Amino acid sequence: MLSATSTEVVQATLPAIGAAIGDITPIFYRRMFDAHPELERDLFNRGNQAVGDQPRALAAAVATYATLLVDENAPAPVELLSRIAHKHASLGITEAQYEIVHEHLFAAIVQVLGDAVTPEVAAAWDEVYWLMARDLIAIEQGLYAAAGITPEHVWQSVVLRSRRQEAPDTVSFVFAAADGSALPAGRPGQYVSVAVTLSDGARQIRQYSLTGDHGPGEWAISVKAAPARTAEDGTAIPEGEVSNFLHRSVFEGDVLSVSPPFGDLVLDDSDAPLLLISAGIGTTPIIGMLHHLSHTSTGRQVTVLHADRSPSHHALRAQLKSLVGGLPSATLHRWYEDLGARPPREDLAAGLVDLDAVQVPTDAHVYLCGPIPFMESVRGALVARGVAETNIRYEVFGPDKWLASA
């Protein structure tokens, strides 16, 4: 709990620091990477750094955490911290690295705010940082212990058993342990981290949802190759380094370093109706959940909604239809921007997701995955239909820039 003195200072300075945090975080990362280039090369996502996604996500996390601390009516920031801690555990983050972040973050704060950072202000925000850091460290230690590992031993060698083209830009990979042991099972909705060494020697890491399409003791993921593109504001976004490396350079028999399963978006085991909603490659955690439901012979009411560019670009399309068709109380609705020559029908339509065409139980537990604008739109529509915000959970592929609004 934040001390009374620090609470007053943080409440008074939160507007100023919150307004400046977007300027502080890029400076922080640049200072840290200048002092520790190995972190940019071998740990952080260089693509997200290049377009500013990671600094924006950090800014949202710090501002949101501080806001929750000083608002006596706000809920504890458990969900925020859990999401971050799972990502950290999948990367092998150590306690010592929090000291590095602290040093360069506070140097950046002073650089931006100057004389406004009095000793009292510095002490109060230092307390905020270490409260957040210690909470995260405690959660991460529990995650490492549950996985039977330490941060230094997160990575396991796996061999690629098979690869399968799922769509023009998506490939599925099935891994087995290189030493022949059984890989630990993940929970439905979780992901693994995959580390690869690129041509320039950098070791880059990305997370991919487990799809459940594998044999006992194996892991399966489906990877969409992210192309280079130009954002609406004109920013040049480089192609996905790891996704394209996997597509172009990883084949049967190759060995990779992969983490155990982590992730806090895990399917609940209640009897409440389920609403599973995805767009594009966001289908992967949903596929993992559906595999689990099919293996447990659930009688839950399950409604699955998926949006995509076209049937030919819909990765895991046949698998999605088969899994939903095998559940006794499940229905599937799909929307395609380009339906082609296929005639629309009740469960297949052209255009974007239309919740008005679907029965939505207000007590449904919702799991949502796809591009952030898609999830924002769907989440707003669900709340308008009477679904409690606390029943809507989501997964973001990349830095969680949605923290402040979700």
Side-chain angles (χ1 to χ4, degrees):
M1 180 181 293
L2 195 63
S3 67
T5 300
S6 291
T7 296
E8 291 183 8
V9 174
V10 171
Q11 285 175 326
T13 57
L14 184 56
I17 290 185
I21 198 73
D23 297 322
I24 292 168
T25 49
I27 293 172
F28 150 67
Y29 277 112
R30 191 68 270 148
R31 294 181 66 106
M32 183 173 68
F33 291 152
D34 286 345
H36 297 275
E38 74 281 1
L39 295 179
E40 184 174 24
R41 184 186 67 240
D42 299 335
L43 181 62
F44 284 84
N45 182 321
R46 296 190 299 190
N48 289 334
Q49 290 293 331
V51 299
D53 284 352
Q54 188 65 56
R56 283 190 289 271
L58 175 62
V62 172
T64 301
Y65 184 81
T67 301
L68 293 174
L69 276 183
V70 300
D71 183 352
E72 61 183 17
N73 297 316
V78 174
E79 185 172 348
L80 165 65
L81 295 181
S82 176
R83 184 177 298 274
I84 296 171
H86 274 271
K87 177 66 73 68
H88 283 181
S90 79
L91 297 169
I93 296 298
T94 66
E95 186 172 346
Q97 288 169 323
Y98 283 92
E99 293 281 0
I100 296 173
V101 170
H102 176 264
E103 174 188 352
H104 296 287
L105 179 59
F106 276 76
I109 291 174
V110 172
Q111 181 176 333
V112 172
L113 296 179
D115 293 340
V117 186
T118 64
E120 293 77 18
V121 170
W125 282 93
D126 190 75
E127 188 177 343
V128 169
Y129 175 83
W130 282 114
L131 278 173
M132 184 174 182
R134 291 183 183 117
D135 284 346
L136 284 169
I137 290 167
I139 298 171
E140 289 155 21
Q141 287 176 341
L143 293 172
Y144 291 134
I149 57 175
T150 64
E152 297 77 16
H153 296 90
V154 161
W155 303 103
Q156 178 171 353
S157 293
V158 299
V159 62
L160 181 60
R161 283 283 177 84
S162 68
R163 59 173 284 162
R164 182 176 66 244
Q165 196 79 32
E166 301 286 0
D169 56 3
T170 304
V171 174
S172 288
F173 300 87
V174 177
F175 300 109
D179 62 6
S181 62
L183 295 173
R187 299 171 66 190
Q190 289 192 309
Y191 53 77
V192 294
S193 286
V194 178
V196 302
T197 301
L198 303 174
S199 59
D200 63 355
R203 177 179 178 271
Q204 286 285 287
I205 305 167
R206 303 292 185 270
Q207 288 74 39
Y208 299 104
S209 297
L210 293 170
T211 61
D213 180 22
H214 54 79
E218 297 178 335
W219 291 332
I221 61 174
S222 294
V223 179
K224 178 180 178 180
R229 58 189 178 90
T230 302
E232 291 182 0
D233 63 1
T235 302
I237 300 176
E239 71 172 19
E241 289 189 294
V242 176
S243 63
N244 282 283
F245 178 90
L246 292 172
H247 274 240
R248 297 166 182 162
S249 305
V250 177
F251 296 91
E252 291 85 348
D254 288 342
V255 176
L256 294 172
S257 292
V258 181
S259 78
F262 290 103
D264 68 332
L265 185 79
V266 176
L267 185 67
D268 70 90
D269 58 2
S270 72
D271 293 326
L274 280 174
L275 189 55
L276 309 178
I277 309 176
S278 59
I281 198 60
T283 191
T284 51
I286 303 303
I287 290 287
M289 293 177 184
L290 289 169
H291 270 288
H292 174 78
L293 292 169
S294 67
H295 294 155
T296 55
S297 302
T298 183
R300 295 176 75 172
Q301 178 185 345
V302 182
T303 304
V304 181
L305 314 181
H306 182 78
D308 225 305
R309 283 185 288 167
S310 68
S312 64
H313 283 88
H314 181 176
L316 307 171
R317 177 180 54 84
Q319 193 175 153
L320 180 67
K321 290 180 63 178
S322 176
L323 287 166
V324 175
L327 295 174
S329 302
T331 57
L332 172 63
H333 297 267
R334 290 174 292 151
W335 289 263
Y336 295 113
E337 294 176 35
D338 178 7
L339 192 54
R342 297 169 64 89
R345 55 179 191 255
E346 184 179 356
D347 61 344
L348 180 67
L352 305 179
V353 167
D354 178 13
L355 288 179
D356 290 337
V358 181
Q359 288 189 343
V360 178
T362 56
D363 60 342
H365 288 192
V366 181
Y367 294 85
L368 185 58
C369 189
I372 288 178
F374 166 82
M375 293 197 293
E376 288 177 329
S377 174
V378 170
R379 181 173 177 266
L382 289 170
V383 172
R385 293 280 295 272
V387 178
E389 293 186 34
T390 53
N391 283 354
I392 304 173
R393 304 190 61 200
Y394 68 96
E395 183 65 275
V396 174
F397 292 164
D400 192 348
K401 299 174 291 180
W402 198 19
L403 281 168
S405 63

